[in-house]
DNA sequence: CTGTTAGCGCGTTCAC
DNA sequence: GTGAACGCGCTAACAG
C-alpha cells in the first residue's frame, strides 16, 4: 500500500506538497499539482484513514445507536441519515444497542470515547436508559437525539408528535362512526408507547366517548403480540368494531388474526396502524396508518449533529429557541384497512 | 480526553507499561497493574481507536458491502455477521452499494484502500460487477463472498444451492398434484434469479411436466412486481393452480393480488415463496417458502473472513479443497399458502 | 518486570 | 510556492 511518502518521491516533491494538493489547502503551482496527481494515479494511492483521523483529530464518521438495525421500522430513517451523511462526506457507523444498558455503555465507550466517531445519533424512546443518555450529554460530546428529548440546549432532538398523531388516528375511526374502539398499546416503558395511548384516550374524551378499559390491551410492538391481542379482542362478547394498533407490526399481526378467524377487514372490523413501514402497503388489505416522517427525522437529526460537530452548537438551539425541540407531524395515510370515508 | 500518557503519569509508570496492561502483553507486576488500572478508572481513560489502528496496522473492523442495508432480506444475514464479529471483538461497518458500479469502486477505495477495514464481505449475486470483484480479489486484500463465487483459492465463498432449493419448492407443488405451475422469476442479471428459474425448469422436466412458457413471468424481486405478475397470471384463460415466486417479497405481492381478486389461497391457487424473510410468517396466509440459511451464511462468511485476516488463508481452502466453496442447503418451510400435504 | 526509543501515515505550523 | 520539523496517541522492539 503506497503512502504519501511514496507519492512525494515519485513526484519529486515533499510530503507537505502532496498533502496540500490532497486537501487543496494553500496555493500549489499548477504544474506541480499535475505531477502530484499523476503520481497519485500511477501509485494508486489512497490516504490512510487512521493516520488522517489521528492527525486531524477527526474521523469524518458519525455513529448511529439504535435498538436493532434490522428492524424494518428504521428503514426510512436510516436512508435519511445516510443521505445527509453522504452529502457532507461523512461515513456512518451503526451500533445495535438492543435496548440493553450494558451494550449502551460499551457502545458509548468504544465509539465516542475511543474517538471512532465525531458524534453520535441516539435513536429510541426507551426510558430505561435515561441516565446513560444524561451522562453522555454532560460529557459534552456531540450527540443528537431521535425519538427522544432533553432540555439541554446544545443537544438537538427530533421527535414525532405521537400524542397528536394518535389523536388523528383515533378521530379518523371516530369520524367513520366507530364508538367501540380497541387499542393495542406499545411497550409502556417507551415514551412513544405511552404517548400513543395517551393520544387515543384524549381523542375519545374529546368526542365524549366513554372508554372501556377492557378494550385496551397492553402490547410490546411485536407482530405476534398484535396477533394475540386481536384474538382476545375478537372473542369478547361485545367486540370492538375498530382497532388502533400502536405500530404497524402489531397491526399486521392483528390483520392476520382477523383473517384467520374469517373476520372481514374493514367490513367487520377496521384496523389502523402506526409508522407506515414499507410492508404496510404490501399486504392485504393495505394498511391505513399514521405515516411517521422517518426519513425527515433521520435527515434532520443528522444535519443537526453534523452542524454541532462542525460549529459546536445546534442551529435550532440559538438564543431564541433554547430548549426547543423539533417536533414533526405524522400524516394520515388512508388505504384499505379502515374502509373509506363516505 | 485523557491519553495513555496521562494514565502513565497518574500511575507513575511509563506508557509502555500502561499499554501492556491494556493489552495484557508480557508480564506486569500485579501491584503495578493495579495502580495502572486505578489510574485508568480515575481518568476515565479509553484508548484512541485511530492511534491504535495506525500503530498496529489493524482496525479490528470488517466491512460489509451489500445492495441495501434496509432490505429485510438481509436481516438474518446481518445478525449472523454481527454475532461472529462480536465474538472475535471486531466491529462491522456497512456499505450500501446499491448495485451501482461507481459506488462499488468508491466503497472499495475508501474502505479497503483507506485501511478503514481489515477485510471486506461482499454480498450479492449481481453479475454486472464481476470485474470489480475480480480486481479486488487480485489486489490480495482479505475478502469473502456471500451469494457469489470465485475460483480463486484464497477467497472464501458461501452460497445457497438455489437450483436445488427451487427444485425442492417446485416438487413440493408437483407432489401436491399441481401441474399448471406459474413462475415469477427474479432479476435475471442476478445469479440467484437465474438459478431459481433453472431449478424450476429442471424439477418440471424431471417430473415430465411440459412447461408452458406463458406461465413464466419475468420479475425483479420487488413486491409490486409480484403483485402485477400475479394479476397477469390470474386473468389468463387457463390460469395456473400454483405459483412459485423467486422470493418472498414477490410472493407477498402475489398474495395481495390474489386476495384483492377474491381468489382463495391455497384453495384456488397455491403460492410459494423463497428466502423466509421475517414477514413471511406474519401475513395471512402464512407463507410456505424455502428458508435460506441466511444467518449461517453470514456467520460462516464472517468466520472465514476473520480467519483469512488473522492467518492469511481460508480454513476451507486448504490443499485438499482448493476451489471448493461452501454450499448451504435451503429448507422447505411448510406454512399455509400452499395447503398441506394430504 | 520496566523504561527508552522508534516508528505507524498524515496534517500543520513555521521558515525559506 | 515549497520543504523541514514536530506532533497526533499508541504499539513494539530493544535494552536494562
Amino acid at each position: 500500500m503506497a503512502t504519501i511518502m511514496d507519492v512525494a518521491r515519485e513526484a519529486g516533491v515533499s510530503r507537505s506538497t502532496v498533502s496540500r494538493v490532497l486537501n487543496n489547502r494553500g496555493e500549489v503551482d499548477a504544474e506541480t499539482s499535475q505531477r502530484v496527481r499523476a503520481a497519485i494515479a500511477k501509485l494508486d494511492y489512497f490516504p490512510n484513514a487512521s493516520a488522517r483521523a489521528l492527525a486531524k483529530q477527526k474521523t469524518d464518521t458519525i455513529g448511529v445507536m439504535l435498538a436493532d438495525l434490522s428492524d424494518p421500522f428504521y428503514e426510512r430513517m436510516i436512508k435519511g441519515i445516510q443521505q445527509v451523511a453522504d452529502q457532507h462526506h461523512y461515513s456512518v457507523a451503526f451500533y445495535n444497542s438492543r435496548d440493553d444498558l450494558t451494550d449502551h455503555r460499551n457502545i458509548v465507550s468504544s465509539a465516542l470515547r475511543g474517538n471512532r466517531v465525531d458524534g453520535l445519533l441516539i435513536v429510541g424512546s426507551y426510558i430505561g436508559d435515561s441516565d446513560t443518555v444524561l451522562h453522555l450529554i454532560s460529557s459534552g460530546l456531540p450527540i443528537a437525539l431521535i425519538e427522544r428529548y432533553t432540555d439541554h440546549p446544545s443537544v438537538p432532538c427530533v421527535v414525532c408528535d405521537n400524542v397528536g398523531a394518535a389523536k388523528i388516528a383515533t378521530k379518523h375511526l371516530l369520524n367513520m362512526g366507530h364508538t367501540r374502539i380497541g387499542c393495542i398499546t406499545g411497550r409502556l416503558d417507551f415514551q412513544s408507547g405511552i404517548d400513543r395511548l395517551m393520544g387515543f384516550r384524549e381523542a375519545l374524551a374529546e368526542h365524549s366517548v366513554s372508554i372501556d378499559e377492557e378494550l385496551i390491551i397492553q402490547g410490546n410492538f411485536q407482530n405476534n403480540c398484535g396477533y394475540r391481542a386481536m384474538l382476545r379482542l375478537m372473542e369478547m362478547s361485545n367486540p370492538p368494531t375498530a382497532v388502533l394498533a400502536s405500530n404497524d407490526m402489531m397491526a399486521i399481526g392483528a390483520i392476520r388474526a382477523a383473517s384467520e378467524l374469517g373476520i372481514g377487514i374493514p367490513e367487520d372490523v377496521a384496523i389502523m396502524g402506526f409508522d407506515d413501514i414499507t410492508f404496510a402497503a404490501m399486504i392485504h388489505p393495505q394498511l391505513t396508518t399514521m405515516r411517521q416522517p422517518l426519513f425527515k427525522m433521520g435527515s434532520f437529526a443528522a444535519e443537526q449533529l453534523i452542524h454541532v460537530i462542525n460549529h459546536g452548537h445546534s442551529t435550532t438551539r440559538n438564543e431564541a429557541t433554547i430548549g426547543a425541540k423539533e417536533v414533526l407531524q405524522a400524516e394520515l395515510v388512508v388505504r384499505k384497512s379502515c374502509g373509506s370515508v363516505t
Side-chain angles (χ1 to χ4, degrees), chain A residues 120-136:
Chain A
L120 192 61
L121 229 38
I122 301 175
V123 186
S125 64
Y126 176 52
I127 59 190
D129 59 0
S130 305
D131 27 325
T132 308
V133 174
L134 281 175
H135 177 262
L136 198 53

Side-chain angles (χ1 to χ4, degrees), chain A residues 316-328:
Chain A
T316 55
R317 302 303 190 83
N318 52 41
E319 295 71 11
T321 57
I322 284 208
K325 57 185 164 186
E326 186 73 13
V327 180
L328 268 29

Side-chain angles (χ1 to χ4, degrees), chain A residues 35-265:
Chain A
R35 273 215 321 283
V36 172
R37 287 179 201 289
I40 289 175
K42 178 176 175 192
L43 269 49
D44 198 31
Y45 165 78
F46 204 89
N48 180 302
S50 301
R52 182 173 262 181
L54 186 57
K56 293 207 306 186
Q57 295 292 74
K58 188 142 182 349
T59 60
D60 293 324
T61 300
I62 61 174
V64 178
M65 180 167 75
L66 32 69
D68 176 8
L69 178 56
S70 300
D71 191 321
F73 169 76
Y74 294 115
E75 181 173 348
R76 281 154 45 216
M77 187 185 293
I78 288 172
K79 291 202 161 82
I81 294 170
Q82 285 193 324
Q83 186 186 79
V84 168
D86 281 354
Q87 285 168 1
H88 293 265
H89 304 290
Y90 272 77
S91 301
V92 15
F94 294 97
Y95 301 95
N96 290 63
S97 67
R98 285 167 259 184
D99 293 323
D100 180 294
L101 264 42
T102 313
D103 282 353
H104 255 160
R105 301 205 182 265
N106 288 342
I107 291 168
V108 169
S109 293
S110 81
L112 264 182
R113 296 176 35 223
N115 276 299
R116 287 175 183 281
V117 299
D118 295 335
L120 192 61
L121 229 38
I122 301 175
V123 186
S125 64
Y126 176 52
I127 59 190
D129 59 0
S130 305
D131 27 325
T132 308
V133 174
L134 281 175
H135 177 262
L136 198 53
I137 291 172
S138 66
S139 74
L141 290 164
I143 64 172
L145 270 29
I146 300 184
E147 277 201 304
R148 174 187 287 273
Y149 176 64
T150 175
D151 282 316
H152 197 288
S154 71
V155 178
C157 311
V158 42
V159 298
C160 172
D161 176 14
N162 282 303
V163 178
K167 283 172 76 163
I168 293 175
T170 310
K171 289 186 177 177
H172 177 67
L173 262 14
L174 253 8
N175 289 337
M176 299 187 73
H178 297 285
T179 52
R180 268 191 82 69
I181 304 179
C183 181
I184 306 175
T185 79
R187 281 178 58 169
L188 297 182
D189 52 350
F190 274 65
Q191 193 60 46
S192 54
I194 297 171
D195 289 350
R196 291 173 195 178
L197 174 56
M198 182 179 305
F200 172 74
R201 288 183 184 279
E202 287 184 10
L204 255 34
E206 289 177 14
H207 278 237
S208 310
V209 173
S210 70
I211 124 152
D212 183 348
E213 292 295 336
E214 207 190 22
L215 259 36
I216 297 181
I217 305 214
Q218 187 171 336
N220 64 2
F221 288 132
Q222 306 281 311
N223 179 270
N224 269 330
C225 177
Y227 175 80
R228 285 192 303 268
M230 190 65 178
L231 253 26
R232 264 179 62 193
L233 249 14
M234 288 301 105
E235 72 187 6
M236 289 180 175
S237 51
N238 186 11
T241 62
V243 173
L244 172 63
S246 282
N247 73 348
D248 287 349
M249 275 299 205
M250 293 193 300
I252 290 169
I255 286 179
R256 175 159 52 96
S259 299
E260 286 183 7
L261 294 173
I263 296 173
I265 309 167

